[in-house]
mmCIF file of all heavy atoms in Angstrom:
data_model
loop_
_atom_site.group_PDB
_atom_site.id
_atom_site.type_symbol
_atom_site.label_atom_id
_atom_site.label_comp_id
_atom_site.label_asym_id
_atom_site.label_seq_id
_atom_site.Cartn_x
_atom_site.Cartn_y
_atom_site.Cartn_z
ATOM 1 N N SER A 1 11.842 46.153 13.096
ATOM 2 C CA SER A 1 11.487 47.544 13.306
ATOM 3 C C SER A 1 10.400 48.040 12.376
ATOM 4 O O SER A 1 9.508 48.642 12.771
ATOM 5 C CB SER A 1 12.717 48.429 13.187
ATOM 6 O OG SER A 1 12.371 49.766 13.409
ATOM 7 N N TRP A 2 10.529 47.626 11.050
ATOM 8 C CA TRP A 2 9.585 48.036 10.068
ATOM 9 C C TRP A 2 8.238 47.341 10.329
ATOM 10 O O TRP A 2 7.177 47.906 10.053
ATOM 11 C CB TRP A 2 10.032 47.676 8.673
ATOM 12 C CG TRP A 2 11.049 48.537 8.074
ATOM 13 C CD1 TRP A 2 12.323 48.196 7.544
ATOM 14 C CD2 TRP A 2 11.021 50.018 7.904
ATOM 15 N NE1 TRP A 2 12.994 49.278 7.136
ATOM 16 C CE2 TRP A 2 12.231 50.361 7.267
ATOM 17 C CE3 TRP A 2 10.027 50.955 8.249
ATOM 18 C CZ2 TRP A 2 12.475 51.725 6.967
ATOM 19 C CZ3 TRP A 2 10.322 52.305 7.887
ATOM 20 C CH2 TRP A 2 11.557 52.626 7.262
ATOM 21 N N LEU A 3 8.251 46.093 10.788
ATOM 22 C CA LEU A 3 7.051 45.350 11.039
ATOM 23 C C LEU A 3 6.250 45.737 12.289
ATOM 24 O O LEU A 3 5.048 45.636 12.326
ATOM 25 C CB LEU A 3 7.390 43.842 11.153
ATOM 26 C CG LEU A 3 7.727 43.073 9.887
ATOM 27 C CD1 LEU A 3 8.322 41.723 10.195
ATOM 28 C CD2 LEU A 3 6.637 43.011 8.881
ATOM 29 N N ALA A 4 7.005 46.235 13.299
ATOM 30 C CA ALA A 4 6.357 46.657 14.448
ATOM 31 C C ALA A 4 5.470 47.835 14.237
ATOM 32 O O ALA A 4 5.615 48.660 13.421
ATOM 33 C CB ALA A 4 7.381 46.920 15.538
ATOM 34 N N SER A 5 4.408 47.925 15.123
ATOM 35 C CA SER A 5 3.519 49.111 15.119
ATOM 36 C C SER A 5 4.415 50.316 15.523
ATOM 37 O O SER A 5 5.203 50.314 16.386
ATOM 38 C CB SER A 5 2.433 48.981 16.113
ATOM 39 O OG SER A 5 1.589 47.895 15.847
ATOM 40 N N SER A 6 4.309 51.330 14.692
ATOM 41 C CA SER A 6 5.143 52.544 14.850
ATOM 42 C C SER A 6 4.385 53.790 14.727
ATOM 43 O O SER A 6 3.330 53.902 14.008
ATOM 44 C CB SER A 6 6.250 52.453 13.785
ATOM 45 O OG SER A 6 7.037 53.676 13.831
ATOM 46 N N SER A 7 4.897 54.807 15.330
ATOM 47 C CA SER A 7 4.279 56.129 15.253
ATOM 48 C C SER A 7 4.690 56.830 13.856
ATOM 49 O O SER A 7 4.086 57.855 13.496
ATOM 50 C CB SER A 7 4.689 57.047 16.387
ATOM 51 O OG SER A 7 6.116 57.186 16.434
ATOM 52 N N THR A 8 5.674 56.206 13.257
ATOM 53 C CA THR A 8 6.106 56.771 11.962
ATOM 54 C C THR A 8 4.990 56.587 10.968
ATOM 55 O O THR A 8 4.372 55.473 10.735
ATOM 56 C CB THR A 8 7.383 56.027 11.460
ATOM 57 O OG1 THR A 8 8.399 56.128 12.471
ATOM 58 C CG2 THR A 8 7.837 56.625 10.175
ATOM 59 N N SER A 9 4.620 57.686 10.245
ATOM 60 C CA SER A 9 3.561 57.594 9.282
ATOM 61 C C SER A 9 4.150 57.686 7.830
ATOM 62 O O SER A 9 5.253 58.263 7.606
ATOM 63 C CB SER A 9 2.588 58.758 9.530
ATOM 64 O OG SER A 9 3.297 60.036 9.370
ATOM 65 N N THR A 10 3.403 57.142 6.928
ATOM 66 C CA THR A 10 3.805 57.152 5.520
ATOM 67 C C THR A 10 3.217 58.417 4.881
ATOM 68 O O THR A 10 2.263 59.014 5.433
ATOM 69 C CB THR A 10 3.348 55.945 4.768
ATOM 70 O OG1 THR A 10 1.950 55.893 4.892
ATOM 71 C CG2 THR A 10 3.932 54.668 5.314
ATOM 72 N N PRO A 11 3.780 58.850 3.783
ATOM 73 C CA PRO A 11 3.190 60.042 3.072
ATOM 74 C C PRO A 11 1.689 59.811 2.844
ATOM 75 O O PRO A 11 1.265 58.688 2.542
ATOM 76 C CB PRO A 11 4.061 60.098 1.826
ATOM 77 C CG PRO A 11 5.314 59.422 2.161
ATOM 78 C CD PRO A 11 4.976 58.328 3.074
ATOM 79 N N VAL A 12 0.993 60.842 2.887
ATOM 80 C CA VAL A 12 -0.456 60.808 2.639
ATOM 81 C C VAL A 12 -0.733 60.185 1.218
ATOM 82 O O VAL A 12 -0.281 60.611 0.229
ATOM 83 C CB VAL A 12 -1.091 62.202 2.738
ATOM 84 C CG1 VAL A 12 -2.636 62.088 2.470
ATOM 85 C CG2 VAL A 12 -0.931 62.760 4.102
ATOM 86 N N GLY A 13 -1.651 59.158 1.268
ATOM 87 C CA GLY A 13 -2.002 58.560 0.016
ATOM 88 C C GLY A 13 -1.033 57.546 -0.599
ATOM 89 O O GLY A 13 -1.200 57.053 -1.682
ATOM 90 N N MET A 14 0.060 57.297 0.141
ATOM 91 C CA MET A 14 1.100 56.419 -0.422
ATOM 92 C C MET A 14 1.386 55.300 0.626
ATOM 93 O O MET A 14 2.061 55.497 1.605
ATOM 94 C CB MET A 14 2.376 57.162 -0.673
ATOM 95 C CG MET A 14 3.544 56.299 -1.135
ATOM 96 S SD MET A 14 3.186 55.548 -2.701
ATOM 97 C CE MET A 14 3.022 56.947 -3.808
ATOM 98 N N PRO A 15 0.782 54.119 0.478
ATOM 99 C CA PRO A 15 0.992 53.017 1.393
ATOM 100 C C PRO A 15 2.381 52.504 1.241
ATOM 101 O O PRO A 15 3.072 52.627 0.208
ATOM 102 C CB PRO A 15 0.027 51.889 0.884
ATOM 103 C CG PRO A 15 -0.275 52.228 -0.514
ATOM 104 C CD PRO A 15 -0.166 53.674 -0.644
ATOM 105 N N SER A 16 2.952 52.080 2.389
ATOM 106 C CA SER A 16 4.269 51.511 2.378
ATOM 107 C C SER A 16 4.385 50.216 1.591
ATOM 108 O O SER A 16 3.347 49.573 1.393
ATOM 109 C CB SER A 16 4.802 51.308 3.846
ATOM 110 O OG SER A 16 4.135 50.252 4.487
ATOM 111 N N ARG A 17 5.591 49.769 1.351
ATOM 112 C CA ARG A 17 5.778 48.490 0.663
ATOM 113 C C ARG A 17 5.234 47.340 1.475
ATOM 114 O O ARG A 17 4.588 46.451 0.953
ATOM 115 C CB ARG A 17 7.310 48.265 0.421
ATOM 116 C CG ARG A 17 7.707 46.951 -0.027
ATOM 117 C CD ARG A 17 7.195 46.526 -1.373
ATOM 118 N NE ARG A 17 7.755 45.257 -1.782
ATOM 119 C CZ ARG A 17 7.292 44.546 -2.791
ATOM 120 N NH1 ARG A 17 6.264 44.989 -3.474
ATOM 121 N NH2 ARG A 17 7.884 43.395 -3.085
ATOM 122 N N LEU A 18 5.458 47.420 2.800
ATOM 123 C CA LEU A 18 4.980 46.276 3.612
ATOM 124 C C LEU A 18 3.445 46.303 3.705
ATOM 125 O O LEU A 18 2.845 45.210 3.788
ATOM 126 C CB LEU A 18 5.548 46.392 5.044
ATOM 127 C CG LEU A 18 7.045 45.959 5.220
ATOM 128 C CD1 LEU A 18 7.470 46.234 6.653
ATOM 129 C CD2 LEU A 18 7.204 44.530 4.832
ATOM 130 N N GLN A 19 2.774 47.396 3.750
ATOM 131 C CA GLN A 19 1.402 47.547 3.733
ATOM 132 C C GLN A 19 0.774 46.970 2.394
ATOM 133 O O GLN A 19 -0.194 46.298 2.396
ATOM 134 C CB GLN A 19 0.894 48.968 3.869
ATOM 135 C CG GLN A 19 1.231 49.541 5.268
ATOM 136 C CD GLN A 19 0.961 51.002 5.395
ATOM 137 O OE1 GLN A 19 0.758 51.684 4.416
ATOM 138 N NE2 GLN A 19 1.056 51.582 6.645
ATOM 139 N N GLN A 20 1.492 47.319 1.280
ATOM 140 C CA GLN A 20 1.078 46.755 0.006
ATOM 141 C C GLN A 20 1.199 45.214 -0.028
ATOM 142 O O GLN A 20 0.296 44.499 -0.497
ATOM 143 C CB GLN A 20 1.865 47.313 -1.129
ATOM 144 C CG GLN A 20 1.583 48.767 -1.340
ATOM 145 C CD GLN A 20 2.494 49.374 -2.473
ATOM 146 O OE1 GLN A 20 3.655 48.900 -2.646
ATOM 147 N NE2 GLN A 20 2.051 50.383 -3.172
ATOM 148 N N ILE A 21 2.266 44.686 0.529
ATOM 149 C CA ILE A 21 2.429 43.217 0.600
ATOM 150 C C ILE A 21 1.376 42.602 1.487
ATOM 151 O O ILE A 21 0.797 41.583 1.078
ATOM 152 C CB ILE A 21 3.810 42.888 1.168
ATOM 153 C CG1 ILE A 21 4.997 43.221 0.187
ATOM 154 C CG2 ILE A 21 3.928 41.467 1.543
ATOM 155 C CD1 ILE A 21 6.355 43.034 0.738
ATOM 156 N N ALA A 22 1.123 43.218 2.617
ATOM 157 C CA ALA A 22 0.088 42.679 3.546
ATOM 158 C C ALA A 22 -1.269 42.624 2.877
ATOM 159 O O ALA A 22 -1.971 41.574 2.954
ATOM 160 C CB ALA A 22 0.037 43.441 4.828
ATOM 161 N N ASP A 23 -1.674 43.651 2.213
ATOM 162 C CA ASP A 23 -3.001 43.714 1.610
ATOM 163 C C ASP A 23 -3.114 42.796 0.392
ATOM 164 O O ASP A 23 -4.124 42.081 0.295
ATOM 165 C CB ASP A 23 -3.286 45.144 1.139
ATOM 166 C CG ASP A 23 -3.483 46.141 2.342
ATOM 167 O OD1 ASP A 23 -3.773 45.635 3.428
ATOM 168 O OD2 ASP A 23 -3.386 47.401 2.085
ATOM 169 N N ALA A 24 -2.041 42.766 -0.420
ATOM 170 C CA ALA A 24 -2.109 41.802 -1.592
ATOM 171 C C ALA A 24 -2.051 40.322 -1.120
ATOM 172 O O ALA A 24 -2.753 39.537 -1.699
ATOM 173 C CB ALA A 24 -0.915 42.168 -2.488
ATOM 174 N N ARG A 25 -1.245 40.106 -0.125
ATOM 175 C CA ARG A 25 -1.191 38.718 0.417
ATOM 176 C C ARG A 25 -2.505 38.281 0.944
ATOM 177 O O ARG A 25 -2.980 37.160 0.746
ATOM 178 C CB ARG A 25 -0.122 38.633 1.453
ATOM 179 C CG ARG A 25 -0.031 37.281 2.255
ATOM 180 C CD ARG A 25 1.252 37.316 3.188
ATOM 181 N NE ARG A 25 1.352 36.062 3.855
ATOM 182 C CZ ARG A 25 0.702 35.744 4.964
ATOM 183 N NH1 ARG A 25 -0.035 36.652 5.535
ATOM 184 N NH2 ARG A 25 0.927 34.549 5.563
ATOM 185 N N ALA A 26 -3.170 39.187 1.737
ATOM 186 C CA ALA A 26 -4.474 38.819 2.243
ATOM 187 C C ALA A 26 -5.547 38.632 1.197
ATOM 188 O O ALA A 26 -6.314 37.731 1.290
ATOM 189 C CB ALA A 26 -4.926 40.004 3.211
ATOM 190 N N ALA A 27 -5.435 39.440 0.123
ATOM 191 C CA ALA A 27 -6.373 39.273 -0.967
ATOM 192 C C ALA A 27 -6.175 37.928 -1.637
ATOM 193 O O ALA A 27 -7.213 37.247 -1.996
ATOM 194 C CB ALA A 27 -6.143 40.354 -2.003
ATOM 195 N N ASP A 28 -4.926 37.489 -1.847
ATOM 196 C CA ASP A 28 -4.681 36.206 -2.452
ATOM 197 C C ASP A 28 -5.131 35.048 -1.564
ATOM 198 O O ASP A 28 -5.660 34.073 -2.022
ATOM 199 C CB ASP A 28 -3.194 36.050 -2.777
ATOM 200 C CG ASP A 28 -2.730 37.016 -3.847
ATOM 201 O OD1 ASP A 28 -3.562 37.532 -4.570
ATOM 202 O OD2 ASP A 28 -1.525 37.173 -3.964
ATOM 203 N N ILE A 29 -4.848 35.164 -0.211
ATOM 204 C CA ILE A 29 -5.323 34.188 0.723
ATOM 205 C C ILE A 29 -6.815 34.093 0.775
ATOM 206 O O ILE A 29 -7.382 32.956 0.844
ATOM 207 C CB ILE A 29 -4.789 34.497 2.139
ATOM 208 C CG1 ILE A 29 -3.262 34.319 2.189
ATOM 209 C CG2 ILE A 29 -5.436 33.624 3.235
ATOM 210 C CD1 ILE A 29 -2.600 34.698 3.533
ATOM 211 N N SER A 30 -7.499 35.236 0.680
ATOM 212 C CA SER A 30 -8.973 35.233 0.723
ATOM 213 C C SER A 30 -9.548 34.423 -0.448
ATOM 214 O O SER A 30 -10.578 33.807 -0.308
ATOM 215 C CB SER A 30 -9.488 36.633 0.794
ATOM 216 O OG SER A 30 -9.288 37.306 -0.429
ATOM 217 N N VAL A 31 -8.959 34.493 -1.612
ATOM 218 C CA VAL A 31 -9.403 33.768 -2.738
ATOM 219 C C VAL A 31 -9.377 32.254 -2.504
ATOM 220 O O VAL A 31 -10.282 31.495 -2.729
ATOM 221 C CB VAL A 31 -8.582 34.098 -3.995
ATOM 222 C CG1 VAL A 31 -8.999 33.212 -5.178
ATOM 223 C CG2 VAL A 31 -8.781 35.553 -4.440
ATOM 224 N N GLY A 32 -8.219 31.866 -1.916
ATOM 225 C CA GLY A 32 -8.145 30.429 -1.574
ATOM 226 C C GLY A 32 -9.060 30.009 -0.554
ATOM 227 O O GLY A 32 -9.693 28.912 -0.610
ATOM 228 N N ALA A 33 -9.279 30.868 0.427
ATOM 229 C CA ALA A 33 -10.195 30.527 1.580
ATOM 230 C C ALA A 33 -11.592 30.475 1.101
ATOM 231 O O ALA A 33 -12.409 29.596 1.539
ATOM 232 C CB ALA A 33 -10.034 31.610 2.647
ATOM 233 N N VAL A 34 -12.008 31.324 0.203
ATOM 234 C CA VAL A 34 -13.383 31.308 -0.390
ATOM 235 C C VAL A 34 -13.536 29.994 -1.196
ATOM 236 O O VAL A 34 -14.610 29.471 -1.102
ATOM 237 C CB VAL A 34 -13.583 32.501 -1.274
ATOM 238 C CG1 VAL A 34 -14.824 32.391 -2.079
ATOM 239 C CG2 VAL A 34 -13.715 33.808 -0.445
ATOM 240 N N ALA A 35 -12.524 29.605 -1.887
ATOM 241 C CA ALA A 35 -12.708 28.390 -2.726
ATOM 242 C C ALA A 35 -12.808 27.143 -1.733
ATOM 243 O O ALA A 35 -13.690 26.296 -2.000
ATOM 244 C CB ALA A 35 -11.426 28.229 -3.631
ATOM 245 N N VAL A 36 -12.014 27.105 -0.706
ATOM 246 C CA VAL A 36 -12.192 25.986 0.240
ATOM 247 C C VAL A 36 -13.493 25.998 0.974
ATOM 248 O O VAL A 36 -14.214 24.995 0.972
ATOM 249 C CB VAL A 36 -11.068 26.080 1.335
ATOM 250 C CG1 VAL A 36 -11.299 25.063 2.447
ATOM 251 C CG2 VAL A 36 -9.715 25.842 0.669
ATOM 252 N N SER A 37 -13.926 27.160 1.453
ATOM 253 C CA SER A 37 -15.262 27.126 2.152
ATOM 254 C C SER A 37 -16.347 26.995 1.194
ATOM 255 O O SER A 37 -17.384 26.355 1.558
ATOM 256 C CB SER A 37 -15.360 28.545 2.934
ATOM 257 O OG SER A 37 -15.142 29.655 2.022
ATOM 258 N N GLY A 38 -16.238 27.530 -0.014
ATOM 259 C CA GLY A 38 -17.288 27.297 -1.060
ATOM 260 C C GLY A 38 -17.407 25.881 -1.370
ATOM 261 O O GLY A 38 -18.566 25.325 -1.662
ATOM 262 N N GLY A 39 -16.233 25.190 -1.455
ATOM 263 C CA GLY A 39 -16.294 23.741 -1.761
ATOM 264 C C GLY A 39 -16.936 22.922 -0.678
ATOM 265 O O GLY A 39 -17.742 21.983 -0.970
ATOM 266 N N ILE A 40 -16.704 23.342 0.615
ATOM 267 C CA ILE A 40 -17.328 22.584 1.719
ATOM 268 C C ILE A 40 -18.886 22.789 1.644
ATOM 269 O O ILE A 40 -19.653 21.900 1.845
ATOM 270 C CB ILE A 40 -16.743 23.143 3.043
ATOM 271 C CG1 ILE A 40 -15.239 22.710 3.173
ATOM 272 C CG2 ILE A 40 -17.525 22.579 4.259
ATOM 273 C CD1 ILE A 40 -14.576 23.293 4.333
ATOM 274 N N VAL A 41 -19.307 24.076 1.451
ATOM 275 C CA VAL A 41 -20.698 24.366 1.297
ATOM 276 C C VAL A 41 -21.296 23.594 0.209
ATOM 277 O O VAL A 41 -22.467 23.027 0.345
ATOM 278 C CB VAL A 41 -20.977 25.891 1.184
ATOM 279 C CG1 VAL A 41 -22.410 26.169 0.819
ATOM 280 C CG2 VAL A 41 -20.539 26.592 2.484
ATOM 281 N N THR A 42 -20.644 23.459 -0.927
ATOM 282 C CA THR A 42 -21.164 22.713 -2.007
ATOM 283 C C THR A 42 -21.377 21.266 -1.718
ATOM 284 O O THR A 42 -22.414 20.654 -2.065
ATOM 285 C CB THR A 42 -20.173 22.864 -3.230
ATOM 286 O OG1 THR A 42 -20.051 24.199 -3.622
ATOM 287 C CG2 THR A 42 -20.691 22.119 -4.483
ATOM 288 N N MET A 43 -20.486 20.668 -1.013
ATOM 289 C CA MET A 43 -20.548 19.241 -0.610
ATOM 290 C C MET A 43 -21.723 19.127 0.334
ATOM 291 O O MET A 43 -22.511 18.134 0.362
ATOM 292 C CB MET A 43 -19.259 18.748 0.008
ATOM 293 C CG MET A 43 -18.159 18.588 -1.045
ATOM 294 S SD MET A 43 -16.618 17.800 -0.355
ATOM 295 C CE MET A 43 -15.953 19.086 0.484
ATOM 296 N N LEU A 44 -21.838 20.032 1.295
ATOM 297 C CA LEU A 44 -22.961 19.997 2.248
ATOM 298 C C LEU A 44 -24.302 20.115 1.563
ATOM 299 O O LEU A 44 -25.301 19.404 1.871
ATOM 300 C CB LEU A 44 -22.827 21.118 3.310
ATOM 301 C CG LEU A 44 -21.673 20.974 4.308
ATOM 302 C CD1 LEU A 44 -21.624 22.211 5.069
ATOM 303 C CD2 LEU A 44 -21.948 19.716 5.129
ATOM 304 N N LEU A 45 -24.410 21.001 0.505
ATOM 305 C CA LEU A 45 -25.584 21.171 -0.276
ATOM 306 C C LEU A 45 -25.944 19.877 -0.968
ATOM 307 O O LEU A 45 -27.146 19.422 -0.998
ATOM 308 C CB LEU A 45 -25.409 22.280 -1.342
ATOM 309 C CG LEU A 45 -26.559 22.434 -2.255
ATOM 310 C CD1 LEU A 45 -27.808 22.815 -1.529
ATOM 311 C CD2 LEU A 45 -26.259 23.577 -3.322
ATOM 312 N N GLY A 46 -24.927 19.187 -1.563
ATOM 313 C CA GLY A 46 -25.192 17.882 -2.184
ATOM 314 C C GLY A 46 -25.763 16.824 -1.224
ATOM 315 O O GLY A 46 -26.746 16.068 -1.569
ATOM 316 N N ALA A 47 -25.187 16.825 -0.023
ATOM 317 C CA ALA A 47 -25.622 15.829 0.976
ATOM 318 C C ALA A 47 -27.043 16.175 1.464
ATOM 319 O O ALA A 47 -27.893 15.311 1.542
ATOM 320 C CB ALA A 47 -24.641 15.852 2.199
ATOM 321 N N TYR A 48 -27.341 17.466 1.636
ATOM 322 C CA TYR A 48 -28.658 17.860 2.017
ATOM 323 C C TYR A 48 -29.670 17.509 1.010
ATOM 324 O O TYR A 48 -30.802 16.951 1.311
ATOM 325 C CB TYR A 48 -28.683 19.335 2.386
ATOM 326 C CG TYR A 48 -30.000 19.897 2.919
ATOM 327 C CD1 TYR A 48 -30.233 19.856 4.268
ATOM 328 C CD2 TYR A 48 -30.996 20.380 2.072
ATOM 329 C CE1 TYR A 48 -31.500 20.365 4.843
ATOM 330 C CE2 TYR A 48 -32.266 20.799 2.531
ATOM 331 C CZ TYR A 48 -32.424 20.814 3.940
ATOM 332 O OH TYR A 48 -33.679 21.219 4.421
#
């Protein structure tokens, strides 16, 4: 129920706990994804 899209709104300026988890998790994943994609580009640059 909490995860589903809902008409229930959080207080203005106060993200919910799940929204904080989602944003922080995405930020952490993006760091790893940048490292992986950056590594691939680095190897391609070396080959070129």
Side-chain angles (χ1 to χ4, degrees):
S1 178
W2 284 126
L3 287 170
S5 299
S6 172
S7 60
T8 303
S9 59
T10 58
V12 177
M14 178 62 66
S16 70
R17 167 65 173 165
L18 285 176
Q19 290 169 356
Q20 291 177 331
I21 290 176
D23 291 341
R25 177 176 178 271
D28 291 346
I29 290 176
S30 68
V31 173
V34 167
V36 171
S37 53
I40 294 173
V41 170
T42 300
M43 290 187 284
L44 290 175
L45 175 60
Y48 185 89

